[in-house]
Amino acid sequence: AVASGYSATLLVDPDRVTVKLANAQGKPLPAGIKVSFIHATRAGLDRELDLPRGGDDDYVAPIGVLPPGHWHVHIETPE
């Protein structure tokens, strides 16, 4: 993603996740993205979300509260 010019900012609130995606090379933003929250030690807590692009070019979806712990986050485009 970095080599293709993409960068992302992730905001996690108690009730939703927001991703602000940008492309420094001027490539169009995808219509949707997939965000995976992967717990470092408890695979049963992992979550995958499909986030559509909103009118303000942010990607937003409800998430609920994530349990405390160390999380890895993967952001993927459909490609």
Side-chain angles (χ1 to χ4, degrees):
V2 173
S4 295
Y6 286 101
S7 63
T9 302
L10 175 74
L11 305 168
V12 181
D13 295 319
D15 61 340
R16 68 180 176 164
V17 60
T18 303
V19 176
K20 297 177 181 290
L21 191 64
N23 188 284
Q25 297 176 0
K27 293 181 181 178
L29 298 176
I33 59 174
K34 181 173 94 173
V35 178
S36 301
F37 290 87
I38 303 163
H39 195 276
T41 60
R42 297 175 62 195
L45 297 177
D46 294 356
R47 298 187 194 176
E48 288 187 358
L49 302 170
D50 291 315
L51 283 71
R53 188 175 73 213
D56 55 1
D57 286 339
D58 288 348
Y59 300 83
V60 181
I63 189 170
V65 177
L66 291 172
H70 185 82
W71 292 89
H72 301 276
V73 179
H74 294 200
I75 300 171
E76 303 175 70
T77 64
E79 300 83 41

